[in-house]
Amino acid sequence: MKFFVDTANLDQIKEAKDFGILDGVTTNPSLMAKEGIAGAKAVEDHYKAICEIVDGDVSAEVISTNFQGIIDEGEYLASLAPNIVVKVPMIKDGVKALSYFAGKGIRTNCTLVFSAGQAILAAKAGATYLSPFIGRVDDTSWDGIQLISDIAEIYAIQGYETEILAASIRNAKHIVDAAKAGADVVTCPLSSILGLLKHPLTDIGLAKFLADHAKANG
Ligand code: G3P
């Protein structure tokens, strides 16, 4: 399973890369706004900066919601760097655009996915990645991990090649559960990835090893 970080923060992206586990980055308009990135030139420069740090795929989301706007914006974003993946919302014109981009060899990430039906449509349209939002499904008292599991089962039966990119991950347990449910990729804040490190018995065991070593060695 690949690990992407879900952030537009360059320091976090560098830290994830230094940690040695970074396969890619996803962004969205909210994450760009959080970093104070506004205006076409700033957005362009920021995506270029991310792509200089990361060798893997970098999802850049379109703002347009009509077919021609999505195409124009997506082609522009894809031209910024070879590892840009165009992130397209799960709406009617978005699905049409996924199909257009697939025909042009432009890779895509279909975002804002909350049902298995939407997942089938995106795969039929040729999306490279599919982003079901685990945390936001859980927020509505439904089961985000069950959604990943259902999509993985359908994609395996149907032979769809779209990769399941589990998004809206809120904690380390979501990562473990998404891996078990068949996600190809998880995208999450660095804090959730670092959460995988934590276990009290590791800390207790290490302290004991170091204490015993110190005792034996004076
Ligand atoms: O990038 C999409 C998704 O990961 C957003 O997560 O935490 O805002 O629901 P969240």
Side-chain angles (χ1 to χ4, degrees):
M1 187 173 75
K2 288 182 269 188
F3 277 26
F4 290 2
V5 281
D6 195 28
T7 182
N9 182 285
L10 298 181
D11 290 336
Q12 274 200 28
I13 293 168
K14 282 181 200 150
E15 192 182 338
K17 189 182 179 188
D18 286 348
F19 189 41
I21 46 77
L22 186 64
D23 297 306
V25 171
T26 52
T27 63
N28 62 41
S30 304
L31 294 171
M32 293 291 273
K34 195 173 159 192
E35 298 307 313
I37 312 299
K41 180 76 173 84
V43 167
E44 177 178 329
D45 289 347
H46 203 72
Y47 280 132
K48 284 180 176 167
I50 294 174
C51 290
E52 271 172 30
I53 301 168
V54 184
D55 297 327
D57 290 342
V58 174
S59 288
E61 186 160 344
V62 298
I63 308 299
S64 303
T65 54
N66 66 78
F67 176 70
Q68 196 53 52
I70 294 171
I71 297 307
D72 292 345
E73 219 183 311
E75 286 181 336
Y76 155 75
L77 289 169
S79 74
L80 297 179
N83 51 338
I84 290 272
V85 172
V86 180
K87 205 169 176 189
V88 177
M90 171 39 77
I91 54 176
K92 194 174 178 190
D93 281 24
V95 172
K96 192 174 160 188
L98 290 172
S99 179
Y100 171 90
F101 287 134
K104 293 275 174 191
I106 293 175
R107 291 170 318 123
T108 52
N109 174 358
C110 181
T111 190
L112 290 166
V113 171
F114 295 91
S115 76
Q118 292 176 326
I120 291 171
L121 258 186
K124 280 293 289 177
T128 313
Y129 293 105
L130 177 90
S131 290
F133 279 27
I134 296 179
R136 293 193 198 183
V137 170
D138 287 354
D139 289 345
T140 62
S141 299
W142 290 88
D143 188 343
I145 293 298
Q146 184 60 52
L147 175 61
I148 299 294
S149 179
D150 290 346
I151 296 169
E153 187 181 347
I154 292 166
Y155 278 15
I157 291 168
Q158 299 298 331
Y160 291 138
E161 287 175 5
T162 301
E163 289 190 57
I164 303 168
L165 193 168
S168 185
I169 282 184
R170 305 279 168 76
N171 52 54
K173 187 173 186 303
H174 267 159
I175 299 177
V176 174
D177 290 345
K180 236 171 100 182
D184 300 291
V185 189
V186 281
T187 189
C188 37
L190 183 57
S191 57
S192 299
I193 297 174
L194 294 176
L196 292 171
L197 281 169
K198 290 182 198 154
H199 198 289
L201 292 180
T202 304
D203 300 337
I204 293 166
L206 182 60
K208 173 101 174 71
F209 285 156
L210 295 179
D212 289 346
H213 174 82
K215 215 184 292 171
N217 290 275

